Amino acid sequence: MNSRRNFSIAIAMATLVALVAGSAHAGSVVTPDEPELIFNFGSAPSPFARNATDSQFTLLANNGAAPVAIGAGDFDADAITDVLLAFDGSATNSGIYQRRSTGGFAKIGNGIANLIEVGNFDGTGNDDVALTFVAGQPASPAGTWIRTDSGYRQIANFTATRLQVGDVDGSGADEIIVTFEEVGNAQITGTWIIRDPAGSISFTKIRNEAANPLVVCGNVNNSGGDDILVTYPTEGVSYAFVDDTSHTRILGSSTVTQYGCSNLDGSAGEELIATIASPAGTYYRNLNGTGWTQLFNESAAVIVGGNFD
């Protein structure tokens, strides 16, 4: 479940290939008791991790190429953060690897995954993974999959172009939110919620257009469920799809190109953080408020909320 109380944000102005916030578990992969960030620098094609309160970077892997996807979670229920790294054919060793908090890597998949998101789908004490395998990889069929304690399970024959995880209906179990972009297949193309992916699996289509960007954020309207933040490029509008029930339009004549959320003021409910096309810059607002406050006049390329101080 993505709902949380955050008090700061990490913002990149287009210098990172990827940035992932790790869990704040004691004894985590960097240093105890603080959240960590996982960086994948374009100038140094290997993933690094660092603690938010020091200047030390830890090399996570040296595999000849940058990972194409990164995930962080507690996959073995030891209350310590582990890292998943997915490498494609340009790496020395392709596939999906898990780095445990104690060090070392274990290969957990032969296919090439280009999207990884962490959640809890089966109700156990450890995290699960939603991921997409790209076409043309014989080790794993293309499509959208999950990995739980029971192993891998394909939940859709189509490869999601965007993938997010969160408890959007407040049930206590995570759903998967995806976009499918299947040329010539209007029935499949669009933005979907996949419910109970570890059980009976059901699909709810919330829009015929594929959202871009698509972010599942924390509880921005203080109602108990995670919220979906979307921009529909063809329509040129941006919405908060709140609590799995209805769209709330958050911008009129401009669109959001990046989303994040964090509790910036300590009040109930998190604030939206967004990169807005016009007037250009990075802004925040409370969903129940009426206006936006500019944080920077620069446009953020990556926004991650967390308690970094």
Side-chain angles (χ1 to χ4, degrees), residues 76-87:
D76 51 12
D78 63 354
I80 302 175
T81 304
D82 310 305
V83 179
L84 294 184
L85 303 172
F87 295 94

Side-chain angles (χ1 to χ4, degrees), residues 4-9 261-267 270 305-309:
R4 58 205 183 276
R5 286 190 64 84
N6 296 330
F7 299 95
S8 52
I9 53 175
C261 65
S262 190
N263 190 338
L264 299 177
D265 59 10
S267 64
E270 298 184 346
N307 185 359
F308 303 119
D309 56 6

